[in-house]
PDB file of all heavy atoms in Angstrom:
ATOM      1  N   VAL P  12      14.777  -5.547 -24.158  1.00 97.00           N
ATOM      2  CA  VAL P  12      16.194  -5.647 -23.843  1.00 97.00           C
ATOM      3  C   VAL P  12      16.442  -5.472 -22.318  1.00 97.00           C
ATOM      4  O   VAL P  12      15.606  -4.817 -21.648  1.00 97.00           O
ATOM      5  CB  VAL P  12      17.061  -4.564 -24.587  1.00 97.00           C
ATOM      6  CG1 VAL P  12      16.956  -4.742 -26.039  1.00 97.00           C
ATOM      7  CG2 VAL P  12      16.517  -3.177 -24.239  1.00 97.00           C
ATOM      8  N   PRO P  13      17.442  -6.049 -21.776  1.00 97.00           N
ATOM      9  CA  PRO P  13      17.762  -6.013 -20.361  1.00 97.00           C
ATOM     10  C   PRO P  13      17.775  -4.616 -19.852  1.00 97.00           C
ATOM     11  O   PRO P  13      18.397  -3.763 -20.500  1.00 97.00           O
ATOM     12  CB  PRO P  13      19.063  -6.753 -20.147  1.00 97.00           C
ATOM     13  CG  PRO P  13      19.167  -7.608 -21.354  1.00 97.00           C
ATOM     14  CD  PRO P  13      18.461  -6.928 -22.430  1.00 97.00           C
ATOM     15  N   PHE P  14      17.243  -4.335 -18.650  1.00 98.00           N
ATOM     16  CA  PHE P  14      17.249  -2.960 -18.131  1.00 98.00           C
ATOM     17  C   PHE P  14      17.670  -2.913 -16.675  1.00 98.00           C
ATOM     18  O   PHE P  14      18.721  -2.329 -16.283  1.00 98.00           O
ATOM     19  CB  PHE P  14      15.832  -2.380 -18.286  1.00 98.00           C
ATOM     20  CG  PHE P  14      15.752  -0.962 -17.841  1.00 98.00           C
ATOM     21  CD1 PHE P  14      16.642   0.019 -18.296  1.00 98.00           C
ATOM     22  CD2 PHE P  14      14.783  -0.530 -16.912  1.00 98.00           C
ATOM     23  CE1 PHE P  14      16.543   1.400 -17.858  1.00 98.00           C
ATOM     24  CE2 PHE P  14      14.705   0.803 -16.494  1.00 98.00           C
ATOM     25  CZ  PHE P  14      15.556   1.783 -16.984  1.00 98.00           C
ATOM     26  N   LEU P  15      16.985  -3.681 -15.764  1.00 98.00           N
ATOM     27  CA  LEU P  15      17.436  -3.706 -14.442  1.00 98.00           C
ATOM     28  C   LEU P  15      17.533  -5.139 -13.973  1.00 98.00           C
ATOM     29  O   LEU P  15      16.534  -5.880 -13.978  1.00 98.00           O
ATOM     30  CB  LEU P  15      16.403  -3.030 -13.507  1.00 98.00           C
ATOM     31  CG  LEU P  15      16.042  -1.468 -13.762  1.00 98.00           C
ATOM     32  CD1 LEU P  15      14.883  -0.995 -12.942  1.00 98.00           C
ATOM     33  CD2 LEU P  15      17.343  -0.673 -13.325  1.00 98.00           C
ATOM     34  N   GLU P  16      18.710  -5.432 -13.539  1.00 98.00           N
ATOM     35  CA  GLU P  16      19.008  -6.831 -13.143  1.00 98.00           C
ATOM     36  C   GLU P  16      18.384  -7.169 -11.755  1.00 98.00           C
ATOM     37  O   GLU P  16      18.317  -6.320 -10.918  1.00 98.00           O
ATOM     38  CB  GLU P  16      20.575  -7.042 -13.171  1.00 98.00           C
ATOM     39  CG  GLU P  16      20.861  -8.584 -13.271  1.00 98.00           C
ATOM     40  CD  GLU P  16      22.343  -8.790 -13.468  1.00 98.00           C
ATOM     41  OE1 GLU P  16      22.969  -8.034 -14.277  1.00 98.00           O
ATOM     42  OE2 GLU P  16      22.877  -9.667 -12.838  1.00 98.00           O
ATOM     43  N   HIS P  17      18.017  -8.430 -11.637  1.00 98.00           N
ATOM     44  CA  HIS P  17      17.347  -8.863 -10.424  1.00 98.00           C
ATOM     45  C   HIS P  17      18.192  -8.543  -9.125  1.00 98.00           C
ATOM     46  O   HIS P  17      17.576  -8.038  -8.179  1.00 98.00           O
ATOM     47  CB  HIS P  17      17.207 -10.475 -10.487  1.00 98.00           C
ATOM     48  CG  HIS P  17      16.552 -11.005  -9.341  1.00 98.00           C
ATOM     49  ND1 HIS P  17      15.161 -10.888  -9.125  1.00 98.00           N
ATOM     50  CD2 HIS P  17      17.008 -11.711  -8.212  1.00 98.00           C
ATOM     51  CE1 HIS P  17      14.821 -11.537  -8.087  1.00 98.00           C
ATOM     52  NE2 HIS P  17      15.877 -12.006  -7.445  1.00 98.00           N
ATOM     53  N   SER P  18      19.455  -8.681  -9.162  1.00 98.00           N
ATOM     54  CA  SER P  18      20.280  -8.352  -7.963  1.00 98.00           C
ATOM     55  C   SER P  18      20.216  -6.893  -7.591  1.00 98.00           C
ATOM     56  O   SER P  18      20.125  -6.536  -6.391  1.00 98.00           O
ATOM     57  CB  SER P  18      21.701  -8.803  -8.118  1.00 98.00           C
ATOM     58  OG  SER P  18      22.273  -8.166  -9.143  1.00 98.00           O
ATOM     59  N   LEU P  19      20.086  -6.031  -8.568  1.00 98.00           N
ATOM     60  CA  LEU P  19      19.962  -4.603  -8.381  1.00 98.00           C
ATOM     61  C   LEU P  19      18.620  -4.259  -7.793  1.00 98.00           C
ATOM     62  O   LEU P  19      18.535  -3.415  -6.938  1.00 98.00           O
ATOM     63  CB  LEU P  19      20.180  -3.872  -9.692  1.00 98.00           C
ATOM     64  CG  LEU P  19      20.209  -2.291  -9.684  1.00 98.00           C
ATOM     65  CD1 LEU P  19      21.403  -1.822  -8.776  1.00 98.00           C
ATOM     66  CD2 LEU P  19      20.245  -1.758 -11.046  1.00 98.00           C
ATOM     67  N   ILE P  20      17.622  -4.916  -8.314  1.00 98.00           N
ATOM     68  CA  ILE P  20      16.219  -4.711  -7.766  1.00 98.00           C
ATOM     69  C   ILE P  20      16.136  -5.203  -6.333  1.00 98.00           C
ATOM     70  O   ILE P  20      15.663  -4.423  -5.511  1.00 98.00           O
ATOM     71  CB  ILE P  20      15.231  -5.539  -8.665  1.00 98.00           C
ATOM     72  CG1 ILE P  20      15.266  -5.069 -10.126  1.00 98.00           C
ATOM     73  CG2 ILE P  20      13.849  -5.412  -8.113  1.00 98.00           C
ATOM     74  CD1 ILE P  20      14.520  -6.037 -11.136  1.00 98.00           C
ATOM     75  N   GLN P  21      16.762  -6.304  -6.024  1.00 98.00           N
ATOM     76  CA  GLN P  21      16.771  -6.838  -4.646  1.00 98.00           C
ATOM     77  C   GLN P  21      17.436  -5.861  -3.686  1.00 98.00           C
ATOM     78  O   GLN P  21      17.025  -5.557  -2.610  1.00 98.00           O
ATOM     79  CB  GLN P  21      17.435  -8.142  -4.590  1.00 98.00           C
ATOM     80  CG  GLN P  21      16.670  -9.316  -5.359  1.00 98.00           C
ATOM     81  CD  GLN P  21      15.200  -9.447  -4.867  1.00 98.00           C
ATOM     82  OE1 GLN P  21      14.976  -9.488  -3.630  1.00 98.00           O
ATOM     83  NE2 GLN P  21      14.269  -9.560  -5.730  1.00 98.00           N
TER      84      GLN P  21
END
Side-chain angles (χ1 to χ4, degrees):
V12 296
F14 183 53
L15 298 170
E16 200 171 317
H17 183 73
S18 60
L19 184 65
I20 300 168
Q21 293 303 315

